[in-house]
Amino acid sequence: MADLLADRKTISYNNCMIQLFTTHLFGGIEIFILTGMAYDRYVAICKPLHYATIMNKQRCNTIIIACCTGGFIHSGSQFLLTIFLPFCGPNEIDHYFCDVNPLLKLACSDTHIIGLLVIANSGLVALVTFVVLMLSYFFILYTIRTYSAESRSKALSTCSSHVTVVVLFFAPVLFIYMRPATTFPEDKIFALFYTIIAPMFNPLIYTLRNMEMKNAMRKVWCHQIPPKQKLNFNYFCSWCHDSIRPHL
């Protein structure tokens, strides 16, 4: 993060390897956590009466440990594939952080086999988890088909934030890592989605789904309207107060 925030455009070899390892570590953990969240929503919607029994504290801890372990294995394999490459020529990468494909382009040896291993690692991890996510939502949609319109709307609203993050994260990841080890100028733009934009929107997307946060925002919005504008927004503020007043 220090190298990303610095004005200079150079990075040492050791810091580059650390950046590569940590980026894939946290990216891998996020991929597996998104998969675990899909399973959580599947249990909540498809087996609501058994939710407390299935998603107990021990199961949640197991899922978190599995996500961290999977991210570490993924990141460690990417690190080992890169650290032994010989670099003896150009030292400029067309990217804003150290990633595997830009570094393979600078290597002084044949990287065809390593490129295939990168696809087998990053590409298959992203593809398999994405398929699992799609299957979980297929079962959710299949289950709620017999629900009432209100229940279906509530169930889909519960999943909307998760689906948004999944699309922002997996679409660019699949584009970058499910192809041969080549680099395009557009890769930097796609990489922004899964390294910066999706994590940045995570708190916003998930927090705005919280009913207490919605009510607090309505209170703040109504109380901060200037007096002159309050005359024009009486109906809006009365709606706010009515919506947050507890119904007995």
Side-chain angles (χ1 to χ4, degrees):
M1 292 183 65
D3 286 306
L4 289 175
L5 296 174
D7 292 332
R8 69 184 190 279
K9 297 183 180 181
T10 59
I11 184 173
S12 67
Y13 176 78
N14 291 335
N15 287 344
C16 181
M17 292 297 105
I18 292 173
Q19 193 178 83
L20 171 70
F21 179 82
T22 54
T23 301
H24 281 271
L25 173 64
F26 294 120
I29 291 175
E30 182 168 1
I31 284 178
F32 293 118
I33 284 181
L34 288 173
T35 308
M37 291 173 65
Y39 175 72
D40 175 77
R41 279 153 176 74
Y42 164 77
V43 176
I45 294 174
C46 299
K47 300 180 180 181
L49 299 179
H50 301 282
Y51 178 81
T53 303
I54 297 175
M55 296 302 295
N56 52 40
K57 186 176 181 179
Q58 182 179 0
R59 179 66 60 84
C60 292
N61 291 336
T62 302
I63 291 175
I64 293 298
I65 293 173
C67 292
C68 294
T69 304
F72 182 82
I73 294 174
H74 160 71
S75 180
S77 59
Q78 296 287 88
F79 179 77
L80 292 175
L81 288 175
T82 310
I83 194 171
F84 295 111
L85 289 175
F87 298 103
C88 52
N91 60 350
E92 182 177 347
I93 61 174
D94 186 20
H95 216 292
Y96 69 91
F97 72 95
C98 289
D99 202 3
V100 179
N101 288 340
L103 290 175
L104 291 179
K105 191 175 180 181
L106 302 183
C108 302
S109 61
D110 184 14
T111 59
H112 178 71
I113 301 299
I114 296 179
L116 294 178
L117 293 176
V118 170
I119 296 175
N121 184 350
S122 298
L124 284 182
V125 166
L127 180 62
V128 170
T129 52
F130 184 74
V131 170
V132 172
L133 287 166
M134 293 299 101
L135 286 175
S136 67
Y137 279 107
F138 171 79
F139 287 119
I140 289 173
L141 293 175
Y142 182 79
T143 301
I144 67 175
R145 76 189 191 285
T146 58
Y147 291 3
S148 63
E150 183 179 357
S151 298
R152 284 199 302 268
S153 176
K154 187 177 295 185
L156 293 176
S157 177
T158 303
C159 301
S160 60
S161 57
H162 184 252
V163 172
T164 303
V165 176
V166 166
V167 172
L168 287 175
F169 191 88
F170 276 91
V173 166
L174 292 174
F175 172 78
I176 291 177
Y177 294 106
M178 282 299 296
R179 67 168 196 258
T182 55
T183 58
F184 300 110
E186 295 80 8
D187 288 350
K188 297 189 292 293
I189 300 176
F190 283 101
L192 286 174
F193 284 91
Y194 65 85
T195 57
I196 295 178
I197 295 179
M200 181 179 66
F201 276 101
N202 277 346
L204 181 65
I205 292 172
Y206 291 119
T207 302
L208 292 181
R209 297 297 308 157
N210 188 293
M211 187 57 65
E212 294 181 359
M213 177 61 69
K214 291 181 180 179
N215 293 336
M217 290 178 64
R218 291 192 186 107
K219 289 181 180 180
V220 172
W221 176 260
C222 291
H223 288 304
Q224 287 186 352
I225 296 178
K228 293 182 179 180
Q229 291 184 344
K230 282 188 176 180
L231 297 175
N232 299 327
F233 291 101
N234 282 334
Y235 176 76
F236 174 77
C237 281
S238 63
W239 175 83
C240 286
H241 291 301
D242 290 339
S243 62
I244 62 178
R245 185 182 299 123
H247 297 282
L248 300 178

